[in-house]
Every structure is written in C-alpha cells, then in structure tokens.
Amino acid sequence: MAMALRCFRHLPSLLYRSSFAMTRGLPRAPAGCPALLPDGCRQCVHQTMLTRQLATKKAKGKGQTQARVNISAALVEDIINLEETNEDMQAVIEALKEDFSRNLSVRTSPGALDHIIVVTKDGKFPLNQLGQISQKSPQLIIVNMTNFPESTAAAMKAIRESGMNLNPEVDGTIIRVPVPKVTREHRESLAKLAKQSTNKSKEALRKVRSKSINQVKKFKNKVSEDTIWLLEKQIQQMADSTAAEMDKLLAAKTKELLG
C-alpha cells in the first residue's frame, strides 16, 4: 500500500510533462515504484492525459482555431476505415476533374465526344465504341455510324444532351457536329456548367461524409464519447479539405473558360 501511494504522489508532475510524454513516450515510473507497477502507472497516466487534452479541446471558445485532429487509422480500424473514407472522397475529386476535362472545354475536339454515353436497347456505350469520330475541319466533327446504324438516332440524342452546346445533324449514318464559335455567351454557359458540376460533386462528398459519421455513431455505446468526437472531427476536416480542393479546381476552370 505504501509503495502504491508513493507512485501516485508523483502523478501531478507526470501530468505536467504531458507534451513530452505524448511525443517522446511516457516518463519512467518514479523512484520507489515497485518493479511490477511501472507499466500499470504508465497506462493510468496516459489515459488521464488523453482525457484532459480532449476536455481542453472541447472547452475552447467559439471562433477559436482548433488544432487538426489526426488519428492513427490502425487505432480505430475496428470502428471505421479512415483510409477508405479518404479514398472515397478523393474519388469524388477525380470524377470532377474528369468531367471538367471531357465536357468543359472552350474548343470542342473529337476527343471530347469519345466518352459521351449513348443509351441503346442493348445497353449504354461510349460514343467512340459505336461510331468513328473524326474532325473534317476546325468547324466540323463527323461521327460515322456505319457499323451500328440502328444506334444513329440514340447517338444524335446523346450528343445533343451532352451539355456541350452541340446541335448535330444527321445524313443517313453520318452525324455532322458543327463546332460552335467561341463566343462570350458560350464561355459563360460553360462556366455555369462547371459550377453545377462542382455542386453535384459537393453533394456526393456530403454523402460520403454522412455515411462515415453514421458508421462511427454505431459504436457510441462501445467506445468513449471522446473517441467518437475525435473521429467525427477528423472526418469533417477531411471533407472540408476536399471541398476546398474542389473550390480551387472550380476557380481555375472558371478562369480558363472566361479567359
């Protein structure tokens, strides 16, 4: 009993050095602790320090900047896969980049039509799998549907509804696609489409965030309140960072489109 009391008498000084403990490992047990107690002492001190630090973070006043949360994925893998959450968020970013690249160019090129999806009775197919796309002149793109003539009407519809401001004309199995002039109105139309695409991507991002937070909340009766709070905070920070990246992409694309 006396030896245990001597051990806890040193607890305040150990807590005072919490920053050192968190970065360099917990301090050794004070002199006088029996050989069988150091590990136990360290566990108690670590738990106490973590609780105090979390309480301090939660007690910060509104409007004050809080330190970023960075939880080791390995420590919470039984609750949620943070790496998978990050990958899902990055997938939303990549989809937005691809949409910008394919569909929001000032000048229409044959490659811009490649991945327009055509809905046929046999399924959905990229336009370049159904027709041969070529550029006859700077102002005209040709789509030859000879190999799949039955899909000509569907291809016409897909091009017209692609959001690229194209008005195709059909001549048998040949689709003529006039390339619109680069007018100010056309540029502004593309900029609006970029904004709409970004908003859709942000909605997809919110779904990823909500799904992850709901996954964490399933464990609220199994782990501490502080653990749940930290995980929700980190997921929100990941979502905020991804949304900020989307805003940067939109700003750059808008600048490119409007010139």
Side-chain angles (χ1 to χ4, degrees), residues 101-120:
S101 176
R102 288 182 178 177
N103 303 323
L104 298 175
S105 176
V106 174
R107 297 187 181 278
T108 305
S109 64
L113 306 186
D114 285 352
H115 301 286
I116 290 178
I117 299 301
V118 181
V119 180
T120 72

Side-chain angles (χ1 to χ4, degrees), residues 22-37:
M22 294 301 288
T23 58
R24 298 293 299 276
L26 290 165
R28 294 179 177 276
C33 281
L36 295 177
L37 284 180

Side-chain angles (χ1 to χ4, degrees), residues 16 61 72 86 98 103 135 137 143 156 178 186 218 229 235:
Y16 181 77
S72 171
N86 184 60
E98 188 174 357
N103 303 323
Q135 188 149 9
S137 72
V143 182
M156 279 272 294
H186 181 51
K218 291 179 182 179
W229 180 83
I235 292 169

Side-chain angles (χ1 to χ4, degrees), residues 68-107:
R68 286 189 63 81
V69 177
N70 188 15
I71 304 174
S72 171
L75 296 178
V76 294
E77 60 184 3
D78 292 336
I79 302 174
I80 188 172
N81 189 330
L82 288 175
E83 292 180 357
E84 184 175 300
T85 297
N86 184 60
E87 289 174 359
D88 289 344
M89 291 184 180
Q90 289 305 309
V92 177
I93 282 282
E94 293 304 317
L96 180 61
K97 288 180 180 178
E98 188 174 357
D99 182 48
F100 280 1
S101 176
R102 288 182 178 177
N103 303 323
L104 298 175
S105 176
V106 174
R107 297 187 181 278

Side-chain angles (χ1 to χ4, degrees), residues 60-66:
K60 284 189 175 182
K62 292 183 178 180
Q64 295 183 11
T65 302
Q66 297 186 12

